[in-house]
Amino acid sequence: MTAFVLALLAGAVVGLALGALGAGGSILTVPALIYLLGFTPAAATTASLVVVIVTSVTALLAHARAGAVRWRAGLLFAAAGLLPAAAAGALSSHVPQTVLILMFAALALAAGLHMLRGRTPRGDGKVAGVRALGAGAGLGTVTGFLGVGGGFLAVPALVGVLAVPMSDAVGTSLLVIVANTLVALGARAHAAVHLDWSLISPFLATAVLGAWDGRRLAAKVSVGTLQRVFGTVLLTVAVAMGVTAAR
């Protein structure tokens, strides 16, 4: 199977994850770029930000059309993560590639376990300002350092900290993801990283299409089922990355 076809297939899966769950797409993007398409960890995390920005904007538009985005809450949450995302993005280029892979594997493991638990976060209806700042800053740091959107962290934080209803949390998390990834990508602009656009372009094209289909899929399949499927995939990815990096 050619790298071009692999890029098309991997992009479709990433788009489905982002569109359906508002999470999981970027955590699949990085290992797909490294192990299927031959990117270095530094190039993969940078290219992942490009993919996540475009696909998240696409999915965000779909959720916005359905009226499922809390713009004020999302922008407030994102604002807390902008500086940490920029700082972490600049720092990431100085970290050894093996360390990046191991850290990413740990994050994928945490995301997979979170999805498999399948618990629906519940807010108490109260907005916690200090906790919102801390959660937003933490999410921005993860986004900038590892090149992920962090939707699996953003959704429960939006519900539990900013009292966003679960029905609007996925769409709102996409707004947060877009803001953080834009800043993180800007912070990496100075790094001399080669990006193979002949593979990123088809990956991105099917990811965008998948994001639209993911929104429709979410309306037909229960969130619990989708979480279990993507959770299992993430656990498999985490173990594979950890084993490979440890060799």
Side-chain angles (χ1 to χ4, degrees):
M1 188 177 295
T2 66
F4 181 84
V5 174
L6 286 173
L8 291 174
L9 294 175
V13 173
V14 166
L16 282 172
L18 272 172
L21 298 173
S26 53
I27 297 182
L28 293 174
T29 298
V30 172
L33 291 173
I34 294 174
Y35 298 110
L36 294 180
L37 302 179
F39 282 55
T40 66
T45 53
T46 300
S48 172
L49 290 171
V50 176
V51 173
V52 171
I53 288 169
V54 178
T55 52
S56 294
V57 167
T58 302
L60 174 62
L61 291 175
H63 283 270
R65 288 177 62 186
V69 178
R70 296 294 180 99
W71 296 96
R72 183 174 180 276
L75 290 173
L76 286 174
F77 192 86
L82 296 184
L83 287 178
L91 179 63
S92 65
S93 61
H94 302 290
V95 177
Q97 296 193 4
T98 300
V99 175
L100 277 178
I101 291 177
L102 288 174
M103 293 179 67
F104 198 93
L107 183 66
L109 179 64
L113 292 174
H114 173 78
M115 288 188 177
L116 286 178
R117 281 202 301 269
R119 295 175 182 173
T120 300
R122 298 183 182 279
D124 56 9
K126 299 178 181 178
V127 177
V130 175
R131 288 172 58 202
L133 289 175
L139 180 62
T141 301
V142 171
T143 299
F145 199 75
L146 295 178
V148 301
F152 79 99
L153 295 172
V155 171
L158 286 167
V159 175
V161 178
L162 288 181
V164 174
M166 187 61 194
S167 58
D168 295 342
V170 171
T172 307
S173 76
L174 290 165
L175 174 61
V176 177
I177 289 169
V178 170
N180 282 338
T181 48
L182 279 171
V183 172
L185 184 61
R188 292 168 180 246
H190 68 283
V193 177
H194 171 69
L195 299 180
D196 188 347
W197 290 101
S198 67
L199 294 177
I200 294 175
S201 297
F203 190 109
L204 189 55
T206 53
V208 169
L209 294 176
W212 283 104
D213 289 336
R215 172 61 181 164
R216 290 193 288 267
L217 180 65
K220 298 178 181 179
V221 182
S222 71
V223 173
T225 298
L226 291 172
Q227 285 183 328
R228 286 190 292 273
V229 171
F230 284 113
T232 301
V233 172
L234 285 175
L235 286 182
T236 303
V237 168
V239 172
M241 292 184 77
V243 170
T244 302
R247 288 178 180 174

